[in-house]
Amino acid sequence: MPREIRPLEILTTKDTQAWVKQRVINVIKSYHNAADVIAEPIQNAVDEVLSAEGIKGDGEVRVTLNTDENSISVRDNGRGITSADIEKWLAPDVGSKRADFLAGLVRGHKGVGLTFLAYGFNLFEIESRTADEHYSVRLEHGRSWVEDPTT
């Protein structure tokens, strides 16, 4: 009778962190076009507006490119993202749009867009307002962490 093994149970925290970092690197490398930094947040905003229920008036997505500050701002009037969800969704391969994608309501669904934006650059900020909360999150040095061979 073959011996039962559980290879994933022997992984250490360090092993897991190394795997996550490699997955983040693979996500960043999967984006090949300079326009992805604009397309990804716009797609997320459009998906949110299209799938949100109860929007007052028309769905709206507003994009601001600030060349002096080298920044992009994308705002929408969707339902917002809870702080608990944003913490999960910045990790690779974690998302919530699969059912909406299968129903043809949204384009994105793989759970890598926010990972690309947060760790592909050295400054990522998100502000959200839901029915229950208003918060902002700032992640600095994401790209530096990815490129640091000692972490």
Side-chain angles (χ1 to χ4, degrees):
M1 170 174 245
R3 181 174 72 107
E4 182 179 331
I5 64 169
R6 293 189 174 107
L8 299 180
E9 290 180 9
I10 66 167
L11 292 176
T12 65
T13 299
K14 188 175 179 179
D15 294 331
T16 304
Q17 289 173 345
W19 179 86
V20 169
K21 183 174 183 177
Q22 186 57 55
R23 181 62 188 125
V24 169
I25 291 168
N26 291 345
V27 166
I28 293 168
K29 286 181 177 180
S30 73
Y31 286 86
H32 304 289
N33 192 314
D36 290 332
V37 69
I38 298 170
E40 193 61 50
I42 292 171
Q43 178 179 313
N44 283 346
V46 169
D47 285 352
E48 177 58 29
V49 168
L50 290 175
S51 63
E53 296 177 12
I55 292 177
K56 295 178 183 173
D58 293 333
E60 183 177 306
V61 175
R62 189 176 319 157
V63 180
T64 304
L65 303 174
N66 185 328
T67 56
D68 292 334
E69 293 182 11
N70 196 25
S71 66
I72 300 165
S73 171
V74 179
R75 297 182 179 268
D76 65 70
N77 65 339
R79 65 188 160 214
I81 302 169
T82 68
S83 57
D85 282 342
I86 196 63
E87 194 165 0
K88 292 185 297 191
W89 295 347
L90 289 174
D93 306 313
V94 180
S96 67
K97 297 194 255 181
R98 183 87 174 135
D100 287 343
F101 174 77
L102 293 173
L105 299 174
V106 299
R107 290 186 53 213
H109 68 285
K110 295 182 285 186
V112 296
L114 284 174
T115 303
F116 164 68
L117 295 172
Y119 295 97
F121 306 91
N122 274 321
L123 179 60
F124 172 79
E125 292 179 285
I126 189 165
E127 180 179 357
S128 187
R129 184 182 322 261
T130 68
D132 299 322
E133 64 181 337
H134 180 207
Y135 69 91
S136 63
V137 172
R138 180 182 177 110
L139 179 65
E140 296 184 45
H141 311 295
R143 185 61 182 237
S144 296
W145 170 75
V146 165
E147 293 175 347
D148 183 349
T150 64
T151 59

Coordinates of all heavy atoms in Angstrom, one line a residue, residues 39 43 46-47 50 97 100-101 104-110:
A39 N -5.1 50.9 -18.4 CA -6.3 50.1 -18.7 C -6.8 49.3 -17.5 O -8.0 49.1 -17.4 CB -5.8 49.1 -19.8
Q43 N -10.6 49.3 -16.3 CA -11.4 48.1 -16.4 C -12.0 47.8 -15.1 O -13.2 47.4 -15.0 CB -10.5 46.9 -16.9 CG -11.3 45.6 -17.0 CD -10.5 44.5 -17.5 OE1 -9.8 44.6 -18.5 NE2 -10.6 43.4 -16.8
V46 N -14.9 50.2 -14.5 CA -16.0 49.9 -15.4 C -16.7 48.6 -15.0 O -18.0 48.6 -14.9 CB -15.6 49.8 -16.9 CG1 -16.7 49.2 -17.8 CG2 -15.1 51.2 -17.4
D47 N -16.0 47.6 -14.6 CA -16.6 46.4 -14.1 C -17.4 46.7 -12.9 O -18.6 46.2 -12.8 CB -15.5 45.3 -13.8 CG -14.9 44.7 -15.0 OD1 -15.4 44.9 -16.1 OD2 -13.9 44.0 -14.8
L50 N -20.7 48.5 -13.9 CA -21.6 47.7 -14.6 C -22.3 46.7 -13.7 O -23.4 46.3 -14.0 CB -20.9 47.0 -15.8 CG -20.5 47.9 -16.9 CD1 -19.7 47.1 -18.0 CD2 -21.7 48.6 -17.6
K97 N -14.9 38.4 -9.0 CA -15.7 38.7 -10.2 C -16.0 37.5 -11.0 O -16.6 37.6 -12.1 CB -15.0 39.8 -11.0 CG -14.9 41.1 -10.4 CD -14.5 42.2 -11.4 CE -13.1 42.6 -11.2 NZ -12.7 43.6 -12.2
D100 N -19.7 37.1 -12.0 CA -20.1 38.2 -12.9 C -19.5 38.0 -14.3 O -20.1 38.3 -15.3 CB -19.7 39.6 -12.3 CG -20.6 40.0 -11.2 OD1 -21.7 39.4 -11.0 OD2 -20.2 40.9 -10.4
F101 N -18.3 37.5 -14.3 CA -17.6 37.2 -15.6 C -18.4 36.1 -16.4 O -18.6 36.2 -17.6 CB -16.1 36.8 -15.4 CG -15.4 36.3 -16.6 CD1 -15.0 37.3 -17.6 CD2 -15.2 35.0 -16.9 CE1 -14.3 36.9 -18.7 CE2 -14.6 34.6 -18.0 CZ -14.1 35.5 -19.0
G104 N -21.3 37.3 -18.1 CA -21.1 38.2 -19.1 C -21.2 39.7 -18.7 O -21.4 40.6 -19.5
L105 N -21.1 39.9 -17.4 CA -21.3 41.3 -16.8 C -20.0 42.1 -16.7 O -20.1 43.3 -16.7 CB -21.9 41.2 -15.4 CG -23.3 40.6 -15.4 CD1 -23.8 40.4 -13.9 CD2 -24.3 41.4 -16.2
V106 N -18.9 41.4 -16.7 CA -17.6 42.1 -16.5 C -16.5 41.4 -17.4 O -16.7 40.3 -17.8 CB -17.1 42.1 -15.0 CG1 -18.1 42.8 -14.1 CG2 -16.9 40.7 -14.5
R107 N -15.4 42.1 -17.6 CA -14.3 41.6 -18.4 C -13.2 40.9 -17.5 O -12.7 39.9 -17.8 CB -13.7 42.7 -19.2 CG -14.5 43.2 -20.3 CD -13.8 44.1 -21.2 NE -12.6 43.6 -21.7 CZ -11.5 44.3 -21.9 NH1 -11.5 45.6 -21.7 NH2 -10.4 43.8 -22.3
G108 N -12.9 41.6 -16.4 CA -11.9 41.1 -15.5 C -12.4 40.0 -14.5 O -13.5 40.1 -14.2
H109 N -11.5 39.0 -14.2 CA -12.0 38.0 -13.2 C -10.8 37.2 -12.6 O -11.1 36.4 -11.8 CB -13.0 37.1 -13.9 CG -12.3 36.2 -15.0 ND1 -12.0 36.7 -16.2 CD2 -11.9 34.9 -14.9 CE1 -11.4 35.7 -16.9 NE2 -11.4 34.6 -16.2
K110 N -9.6 37.4 -13.1 CA -8.5 36.5 -12.6 C -7.9 36.9 -11.3 O -7.2 36.1 -10.7 CB -7.4 36.6 -13.7 CG -7.9 36.0 -15.0 CD -6.7 35.9 -16.0 CE -6.5 37.3 -16.5 NZ -5.5 37.4 -17.6

